[in-house]
Amino acid sequence: MTSTTAPAREFSLPFRRLLHARESGVFAALVLLFVLGVFLSPSFAQSDNLLSVGQQVAQIGIMAVGVTFVILNGEIDLSVGSTYALSAISTGMLISDGWSWPLAMLVGLVVGAVAGLLNGLAVVVLGVPSFIVTLGTLSVFRGVALLISDGAPISLSSSQPGVADFNLLGQGMLFGLIPMQFVIFAVIAVIGVVLLSRSRFGFNTYAVGGNQEAARLVGVNVKRVKLTAFVLSGFTAGLAGVLGLSFLSYVQGVTGQGMELTVISAVIIGGAALFGGSGTMWGTVIGVAFIGLLQNILNIKGISSFWQTVVTGLVIVAAVAADTWQRRRKTRA
């Protein structure tokens, strides 16, 4: 009897882990949402539509990867939308001034990383709560973007040297089928998964988010972990901004307003705890996919963008409520 039940238990163990994973509920909701989309519109499940969804969520997804590290540390970054605009503006201005697009892109990425570094330094050195810091830099970075561009939009023409090649990052298709933006998102997501689940930095991130003082006592450099998380958040926001410019060939100082809320929503819906220490990168990917499919379904049905905002807000509240209920249940157990 023992010889037959033991293998069965070993075989069922991965399924038990999947069943009890925080992301399993979100994944189940994603599957149900997909089924609902198929039921509401025959064109929903067509490859063209799904690839379009992938392209639409790519920038949000890239930013969400970086923000995940910040939230798992028990912090928040409200400035990613402004960082997105600042990096895009910086890159666009340099390309317009005749810089080669790879060098201009590199500057845009550095701008994003520096913005994240400034946020991190204010949090770990000055001790200011990240909510206050990033609420302030949300305005500061936006203001800088408006100042350096003099409030004027920046448009790139394909007739400019190198612009056509630069546009391939945002508009190109891998094998003529898969949007390059989605490919870049997939690469960034895989890197995020490896960093979070297979590296010492990922282990330290969970330790700091779970109990900062305990992490410090066992030798974790708490300040370095948090600072790195903010730099990653700024870098991914800068990368998304560069891709946004490449896709539209257009950017202005107000670009990216409100993106921070969508990004944070994806991370929270994906199962990350607002107070840190709990969540996975796969959960974030699922959260990004959920928001993308939800918005796509609402668009297909012709639902007003105002109602889309209401629905997204209700989903966020439901996700946080479910997380709170689960935590209380574990505490009582």
Side-chain angles (χ1 to χ4, degrees):
M1 185 74 174
T2 303
S3 62
T4 56
T5 57
R9 288 176 181 175
E10 292 180 2
F11 180 77
S12 64
L13 184 58
F15 296 97
R16 291 181 182 178
R17 289 177 178 172
L18 177 63
L19 183 63
H20 291 89
R22 290 170 56 86
E23 294 77 19
S24 60
V26 184
F27 183 75
L30 179 65
V31 173
L32 290 175
L33 186 65
F34 184 87
V35 173
L36 176 63
V38 173
F39 175 77
L40 292 175
S41 173
S43 63
F44 173 79
Q46 292 181 357
S47 59
D48 289 345
N49 182 61
L50 295 179
L51 288 172
S52 176
V53 172
Q55 174 143 308
Q56 291 167 11
V57 302
Q59 294 169 33
I60 295 296
I62 290 170
M63 297 167 75
V65 170
V67 170
T68 298
F69 288 101
V70 174
I71 290 181
L72 290 180
N73 271 282
E75 305 292 348
I76 196 74
D77 189 351
L78 299 173
S79 67
V80 289
S82 298
T83 303
Y84 174 101
L86 182 58
S87 292
I89 286 283
S90 301
T91 303
M93 291 181 65
L94 293 177
I95 292 177
S96 296
D97 287 342
W99 287 42
S100 65
W101 72 263
L103 187 57
M105 178 179 175
L106 177 61
V107 171
L109 296 178
V110 171
V111 167
V114 169
L117 177 63
L118 294 176
N119 283 334
L121 289 174
V123 172
V124 304
V125 176
L126 301 181
V128 183
S130 57
F131 179 85
I132 301 300
V133 170
T134 58
L135 183 63
T137 53
L138 179 152
S139 297
V140 171
F141 298 156
R142 180 76 60 189
V144 172
L146 290 166
L147 283 171
I148 63 176
S149 64
D150 200 24
I154 296 174
S155 297
L156 301 180
S157 172
S158 57
S159 61
Q160 295 175 262
V163 171
D165 293 331
F166 174 66
N167 286 344
L168 290 176
L169 290 174
Q171 302 174 13
M173 296 284 181
L174 183 64
F175 307 124
L177 179 66
I178 307 173
M180 280 301 301
Q181 286 196 81
F182 181 75
V183 173
I184 295 172
F185 166 46
V187 171
I188 295 297
V190 169
I191 294 173
V193 169
V194 173
L195 273 178
L196 193 55
S197 62
R198 302 294 180 183
S199 72
R200 181 176 294 275
F201 170 68
F203 174 81
N204 291 341
T205 295
Y206 283 114
V208 171
N211 190 319
Q212 180 173 311
E213 184 60 21
R216 185 186 66 80
L217 291 175
V218 298
V220 176
N221 191 326
V222 174
K223 291 184 177 181
R224 181 183 298 171
V225 171
K226 289 192 175 186
L227 193 61
T228 303
F230 276 105
V231 171
L232 287 174
S233 181
F235 176 84
T236 52
L239 175 58
V242 171
L243 289 177
L245 173 65
S246 174
F247 180 63
L248 297 174
S249 293
Y250 177 90
V251 65
Q252 54 182 333
V254 296
T255 296
Q257 282 185 335
M259 290 184 75
E260 59 278 346
L261 299 180
T262 305
V263 170
I264 293 172
S265 300
V267 179
I268 299 303
I269 290 172
L274 272 174
F275 300 105
S278 180
T280 68
M281 196 61 68
W282 285 120
T284 293
V285 172
I286 294 172
V288 170
F290 186 92
I291 286 182
L293 290 183
L294 177 62
Q295 292 179 342
N296 184 253
I297 291 173
L298 295 176
N299 285 330
I300 288 177
K301 300 304 295 182
I303 304 298
S304 165
S305 60
F306 304 131
W307 278 109
Q308 292 186 30
T309 303
V310 172
V311 172
T312 303
L314 290 175
V315 170
I316 296 169
V317 172
V320 175
D323 175 66
T324 303
W325 175 79
Q326 188 175 21
R327 284 173 171 268
R328 289 178 178 175
R329 185 182 179 187
K330 287 182 178 180
T331 302
R332 291 172 183 173

